Amino acid sequence: MNAPIRNYDIAELRRQDVAHHLPAQADHRLIAEMGGSRIITRAEGCVIHDGDGNAILDGMAGLWCVNVGYGRQELAQAAYDQMLELPYYNTFFKTASPPPIELATKVAGLMGGHLSHVFFNSSGSEANDTIFRLVRHYWKLKGQPSRKIFIGRWNGYHGSTVAGVSLGGMKAMHAQGDLPIPGIEHVMQPYLFGDAFGEDPARFAARAAQAIEDRILQVGPENVAAFIGEPVQGAGGVIIPPDGYWPAVEAICRKYGILLICDEVICGFGRLGQWFGHQHYGVKPDLIAMAKGLSSGYLPISAVGVADHIVAELREKGGDFVHGYTYSGHPTCAAVAIRNLEIMEREKLVERTREDTGPYLAKAFADRLAGHPLVGEARSLGLLGAVEIVAEKGTNRRFGGEEGKAGPVVRDLCIKNGLMVRGIRDTIVCCPPLIISHAQIDELVDILK
Ligand code: PLP
């Protein structure tokens, strides 16, 4: 048990939170009305503790990221050792330090096959910005500069930077800042329950993939650079595409010579029971974005996996790729990520998710939640799950019409009862640490129920 290290004056912290702090992704009027945020002070394993003394089962692994759970001494030790030896150095201008090179080698081994190079950044959003710039640079090098357009999906999430929001398909985010930037198209998401209730899954998979081909033909294949998608859409509401969707998407990309980008920021590092989500679906992307589980959130680090044919083009043509961040390849973050991956391997967290805890969660959902009068669907893949709250059993009818409003209410009730989940419109999503036990999965499902 991870005992408190410091005693905080929570009332004073909440006052300062309102007086001086602007938390991310928040309604700042609401936070002020609440008298400050809920303050999480410490955590161990799968449990977080707030300043009011509540222990809460973390069904979200922080923000979809704490895959190895909280309180890992060896990750603190890895950061400590690296900080003493070389806390920081950059990878600009022909320099590098050992940890990012070692981490790149490790990640290349996990991606396998044709993805053998890695470019580092600090966040998932930055990874997608890197992809955006790299893809456009690549097509210029290839002598096809007209290939500029990216195709993403409505309700996809690729981050909060200008390029990330633009590639993503969150309309509320587009509305703030006059986004997307030009050159980005969005097509339908493969959301069977929400958008095509009752349709045959195979037919729907083909129809959703066809929407991509239709858009390619509409804008001209010679103008399309890449398609980007999350293997399973996370922030959109854990939208698990029907079988056949991803192979069809891959075939369309190949047919028109378009790059396939998988945003693995949530799905990477074991979440779906494979090291990467695209491996579950059996497709071969040209680029992948990864973050979160790479370091289990202990320090900020993200990466872009790059296919050999893209690297070959960079090498053949030469010239600077004038892109990078001060913290690209940060040695301390990379050292922690290496140790994090070692923990995942040692404890077989990917296999465990695939063969044990993932199926256990799916069965618990099926046995104990699917029949609930307010549940329209309870679905999961690996340790990523969603429960659709409906106003009328047997339909997909929401409480609040199109946008729904049950999600936040259920989420708040869950927190009161000791479980952290997230409400996205009328969908409750969960993404627990990969170390979660059967007993904790039971607890998660019982509280939710
Ligand atoms: N891509 C996906 C699929 C994500 O889920 C997220 C964050 O949740 C991001 C990108 C952005 O990552 P970050 O918040 O680290 O910038």
Side-chain angles (χ1 to χ4, degrees):
M1 163 91 180
N2 177 5
I5 295 173
R6 277 176 282 179
N7 282 323
Y8 295 102
D9 181 343
I10 296 298
E12 174 58 12
L13 275 174
R14 283 165 61 88
R15 191 194 66 74
Q16 291 174 10
D17 188 41
V18 176
H20 303 295
H21 181 216
L22 293 175
Q25 295 278 5
D27 176 341
H28 296 115
R29 183 172 69 181
L30 188 65
I31 299 273
E33 281 168 8
M34 285 164 50
S37 309
R38 175 185 297 275
I39 296 176
I40 307 300
T41 53
R42 64 193 172 88
E44 77 277 324
C46 295
V47 178
I48 53 177
H49 298 263
D50 71 13
D52 302 319
N54 299 304
I56 303 168
L57 178 63
D58 188 4
M60 283 308 296
L63 200 51
W64 327 77
C65 57
V66 189
N67 286 7
V68 299
Y70 298 92
R72 294 283 190 166
Q73 300 251 345
E74 56 186 305
L75 295 186
Q77 190 66 46
Y80 179 86
D81 293 345
Q82 186 60 45
M83 280 193 186
L84 288 182
E85 188 166 271
L86 180 70
Y88 171 78
Y89 206 75
N90 59 74
T91 61
F92 276 43
F93 313 132
K94 297 178 275 186
T95 64
S97 61
I101 299 174
E102 289 166 2
L103 179 60
T105 305
K106 179 111 204 132
V107 171
L110 300 176
M111 293 187 296
H114 66 298
L115 291 157
S116 51
H117 287 78
V118 170
F119 185 105
F120 290 113
N121 331 262
S122 301
S123 68
S125 305
E126 286 178 13
N128 284 320
D129 276 46
T130 295
I131 287 177
F132 185 86
R133 297 206 52 213
L134 181 57
V135 165
R136 287 206 168 158
H137 178 53
Y138 166 80
W139 284 118
K140 279 198 181 140
L141 290 179
K142 286 284 278 183
Q144 299 183 52
S146 69
R147 283 198 185 262
K148 285 201 175 95
I149 294 175
F150 287 77
I151 300 178
R153 298 176 298 186
W154 291 119
N155 209 28
Y157 187 72
H158 302 299
S160 207
T161 52
V162 169
V165 170
S166 297
L167 291 166
M170 299 286 179
K171 289 185 182 163
M173 293 182 90
H174 288 172
Q176 289 175 353
D178 290 331
L179 300 171
I181 52 176
I184 298 182
E185 299 278 327
H186 295 93
V187 297
M188 67 186 281
Q189 55 181 342
Y191 186 18
L192 186 64
F193 182 85
D195 297 340
F197 190 71
E199 186 169 333
D200 171 63
R203 213 181 136 258
F204 178 66
R207 182 161 76 82
Q210 186 58 44
I212 301 168
E213 182 163 22
D214 292 348
R215 189 62 61 90
I216 292 168
L217 293 171
Q218 191 188 331
V219 298
E222 71 284 4
N223 298 320
V224 181
F227 170 80
I228 182 166
E230 303 151 77
V232 169
Q233 277 164 260
V238 180
I239 293 158
I240 303 172
D243 287 349
Y245 174 76
W246 271 110
V249 171
E250 181 181 42
I252 290 165
C253 289
R254 299 296 163 237
K255 182 169 168 190
Y256 297 102
I258 290 163
L259 297 175
L260 175 60
I261 306 164
C262 284
D263 183 340
E264 298 268 7
V265 168
I266 288 177
C267 298
F269 303 103
R271 182 54 56 192
L272 305 184
Q274 299 285 346
W275 278 100
F276 293 99
H278 69 266
Q279 295 164 343
H280 172 83
Y281 289 108
V283 296
K284 290 196 156 90
D286 300 292
L287 293 139
I288 70 176
M290 61 193 106
K292 298 189 187 278
L294 174 57
S295 66
S296 286
Y298 276 66
L299 282 177
I301 183 166
S302 69
V304 174
V306 186
D308 295 344
H309 70 96
I310 297 175
V311 177
E313 195 64 26
L314 296 176
R315 294 225 162 116
E316 192 190 316
K317 302 283 164 56
D320 281 355
F321 173 42
V322 282
H323 175 79
Y325 309 98
T326 301
Y327 302 125
S328 286
H330 192 293
T332 305
C333 301
V336 167
I338 292 168
R339 193 66 60 85
N340 171 63
L341 297 179
E342 285 169 4
I343 292 173
M344 290 198 57
E345 284 177 330
R346 194 176 67 223
E347 298 184 5
K348 299 196 183 332
L349 293 181
V350 180
E351 295 85 337
R352 189 167 171 267
T353 303
R354 183 174 63 244
E355 289 156 17
D356 179 8
T357 45
Y360 192 87
L361 177 72
K363 188 166 180 335
F365 269 17
D367 292 350
R368 286 146 66 190
L369 275 180
H372 190 288
L374 291 175
V375 170
E377 180 175 87
R379 58 176 179 268
S380 67
L381 180 58
L383 284 172
L384 196 54
V387 178
E388 302 276 6
I389 311 292
V390 289
E392 192 184 337
K393 187 88 183 158
T395 72
N396 68 348
R397 201 162 66 73
R398 309 299 194 181
F399 275 93
E402 270 290 286
E403 281 308 303
K405 58 184 173 198
V409 175
V410 175
R411 172 188 184 263
D412 287 351
L413 284 171
C414 283
I415 296 174
K416 260 194 200 148
N417 285 281
L419 171 67
M420 182 62 78
V421 287
R422 184 155 158 208
I424 300 173
R425 296 178 301 278
D426 275 352
T427 310
I428 304 299
V429 299
C430 70
C431 177
L434 303 185
I435 56 162
I436 194 167
S437 66
H438 288 194
Q440 286 169 319
I441 290 175
D442 290 341
E443 190 185 339
L444 185 156
V445 171
D446 285 345
I447 294 175
L448 202 45
K449 190 170 171 184

